[in-house]
Amino acid sequence: MRSRDGIRPLFVRLFALMLAALITHLLPQTSFAEGPAEIVCIQCHSGMPEKYSQPVKLWRGSIHAENGIACNSCHGGDPKDAANAMKPERGFLGAPKEPAIPAFCGRCHIGVMNDYLASAHGRALGKGGPTCVTCHGNHQVLKATLELINEKSCSRCHSFDRARMIRDAMQQTDGMITTAETRIIAFKKVGSDTEKLEKELFALRNRFHSLFHNVNVEMVNKESARIQADLKKIQSVLATWDDTGRKRKIAGAAALSLMLLVALLAHLLRKTFDET
Ligand code: HEC
Ligand code: HEC
Ligand code: HEC
Ligand code: HEC
Ligand code: HEC
């Protein structure tokens, strides 16, 4: 009897502990997932006609929504006070007109904006050149890839020829980076010290992905060649790792066979002794 009485409070305490752990584990996630839905911008706009509710739907699947960049991060305003949400005194900026878009997005993407402004596209801003939203969209902005350089999008204003040259020049390097990334992850999984290589590749990746907005074929070709030369150094390190890995495997197999042989000899020896 006494032991059962002792066990019951223990169970209760354990259960309470587990519940507490579960709640603290779930709480921050729930509040994060529900956070943006609580802002008044989304509450009010969701119930409005197409033109004003569409941005909410498009934004939901975007890389910005994923990273906590909500309506007010871009448009300003007060996301907690429905009555004054869109007052300029609360920092509301409204919707930018076309020539103001690069600066609007460029608050957070400064490097990209500067490359863009210096490019043939930036120089044609307001005179038929594309802005950030021409290529990326305004609310449904997705992770950027070379897929954005396609005939449908890039031949709206000029022929696809130069766009294709940029894409071809970038695709090969893009592939080399992806392959190197996959291989480094594989080495990391088996316990190799990949930190230095990871850092080098990360820097190269960033250098490479800051090339596009210049839309300068010559520059893309030159810089891609330099990046490829650096990527080849990473590839050769990976190749030596492949080699040592292979040698280690052979050495391992040899050691194993030797041990088996010794075991067999010992067994035979003991058998001979037993028989005598
Ligand atoms: C109580 C309802 C309500 C709330 C809250 C609200 N809006 Fe609006 N919003 C509207 C209405 C109505 C319009 C269209 C009429 C107008 O422009 O005032 C509008 C228009 C807009 C426009 C287009 C303006 C333009 O110049 O075309 C933007 C951008 C916008 N809202 C963003 C926001 C943001 C960001 C928030 C939160 C900080 C927000 N709204 C909160 C009702 C609301
Ligand atoms: C990444 C920045 C960004 C975010 C986040 C964002 N917007 Fe916008 N929004 C823009 C830009 C840029 C424009 C102007 C678009 C254009 O001209 O193509 C715009 C335009 C609008 C307009 C005017 C549409 C029209 O047709 O006149 C409304 C309304 C609006 N946004 C509401 C919202 C609401 C509501 C949210 C949150 C769910 C939101 N926006 C989130 C960048 C953003
Ligand atoms: C308030 C800051 C902010 C504003 C304004 C903003 N962004 Fe972003 N953007 C971010 C953050 C944060 C991310 C996610 C992290 C990252 O990839 O840099 C992001 C990601 C992106 C990506 C994906 C990057 C990738 O790695 O593939 C694109 C493309 C992009 N934004 C375009 C835009 C465009 C176009 C506008 C204007 C309509 C805009 N952004 C306005 C903060 C902002
Ligand atoms: C002519 C089309 C076009 C225009 C205009 C454009 N972009 Fe891009 N953007 C792209 C393409 C294509 C990529 C992918 C490049 C790559 O994979 O290296 C990209 C990549 C990006 C990235 C990801 C960069 C990274 O490091 O991975 C961001 C952020 C971005 N753009 C923001 C912007 C902003 C902000 C503007 C306006 C100032 C803008 N873009 C104008 C086509 C465009
Ligand atoms: C909204 C119109 C528009 C769109 C869309 C557009 N461009 Fe352009 N592009 C221009 C204008 C304007 C120029 C400058 C005049 C010229 O050289 O034709 C230009 C010039 C260029 C140049 C030459 C740059 C130089 O320095 O000689 C390249 C390369 C280019 N664009 C690539 C692209 C790519 C890639 C895309 C698709 C991701 C694209 N463009 C989409 C309008 C556009």
Side-chain angles (χ1 to χ4, degrees):
M1 269 321 259
R2 261 179 65 202
S3 64
R4 265 186 70 186
D5 284 351
I7 280 167
R8 201 176 292 146
L10 191 70
F11 268 135
V12 172
R13 220 175 301 155
L14 253 176
F15 182 71
L17 251 157
M18 274 161 64
L19 202 68
L22 197 71
I23 288 169
T24 42
H25 184 72
L26 285 180
L27 257 187
Q29 275 175 310
T30 331
S31 58
F32 181 76
E34 281 173 2
E38 281 160 18
I39 68 174
V40 298
C41 322
I42 292 174
Q43 283 168 359
C44 189
H45 274 265
S46 297
M48 284 169 67
E50 183 83 3
K51 183 181 180 200
Y52 295 105
S53 59
Q54 180 87 328
V56 181
K57 281 193 212 125
L58 294 176
W59 168 83
R60 282 203 198 282
S62 72
I63 189 162
H64 287 129
E66 222 173 89
N67 284 276
I69 304 294
C71 320
N72 55 300
S73 317
C74 280
H75 291 291
D78 190 336
K80 295 214 171 90
D81 181 354
N84 298 301
M86 301 202 305
K87 291 253 167 77
E89 307 90 82
R90 298 287 172 93
F92 186 63
L93 302 168
K97 300 265 177 312
E98 191 185 298
I101 289 175
F104 188 84
C105 306
R107 281 175 296 161
C108 303
H109 301 290
I110 300 171
V112 171
M113 177 182 66
N114 289 338
D115 288 344
Y116 162 84
L117 288 176
S119 75
H121 282 162
R123 290 196 302 273
L125 174 63
K127 296 172 280 187
T131 72
C132 320
V133 304
T134 317
C135 299
H136 292 287
N138 46 19
H139 295 110
Q140 200 173 27
V141 176
L142 301 174
K143 189 169 168 47
T145 68
L146 293 180
E147 302 289 310
L148 286 168
I149 311 175
N150 58 69
E151 184 134 23
K152 190 162 163 253
S153 171
C154 304
S155 52
R156 279 177 282 179
C157 310
H158 47 64
S159 83
F160 188 56
D161 298 347
R162 290 171 303 180
R164 181 184 286 118
M165 280 162 84
I166 290 193
R167 187 174 158 143
D168 289 349
M170 292 186 75
Q171 215 141 30
Q172 195 186 15
T173 317
D174 201 39
M176 285 170 75
I177 291 176
T178 316
T179 312
E181 264 165 5
T182 323
R183 299 201 57 207
I184 288 177
I185 291 170
F187 275 115
K188 191 178 183 165
K189 272 198 189 130
V190 297
S192 304
D193 181 9
T194 53
E195 199 184 324
K196 187 163 166 278
L197 276 196
E198 272 179 77
K199 274 196 189 139
E200 280 171 16
L201 188 64
F202 185 71
L204 275 183
R205 198 215 79 94
N206 287 346
R207 223 168 100 198
F208 174 69
H209 285 298
S210 67
L211 266 180
F212 174 78
H213 294 95
N214 295 292
V215 286
N216 181 331
V217 182
E218 204 183 317
M219 185 198 246
V220 167
N221 279 330
K222 255 196 212 151
E223 185 62 8
S224 295
R226 284 198 206 110
I227 291 172
Q228 288 205 6
D230 286 346
L231 277 168
K232 290 205 172 105
K233 286 181 208 155
I234 292 181
Q235 284 175 339
S236 71
V237 174
L238 289 171
T240 54
W241 287 6
D242 265 348
D243 249 19
T244 22
R246 213 172 294 129
K247 278 183 194 140
R248 215 176 277 152
K249 260 187 211 149
I250 293 169
L256 193 70
S257 328
L258 197 69
M259 267 156 61
L260 282 173
L261 196 69
V262 171
L264 184 72
L265 281 175
H267 178 72
L268 287 176
L269 219 62
R270 192 175 321 131
K271 245 178 122 181
T272 1
F273 271 119
D274 284 352
E275 274 162 16
T276 53

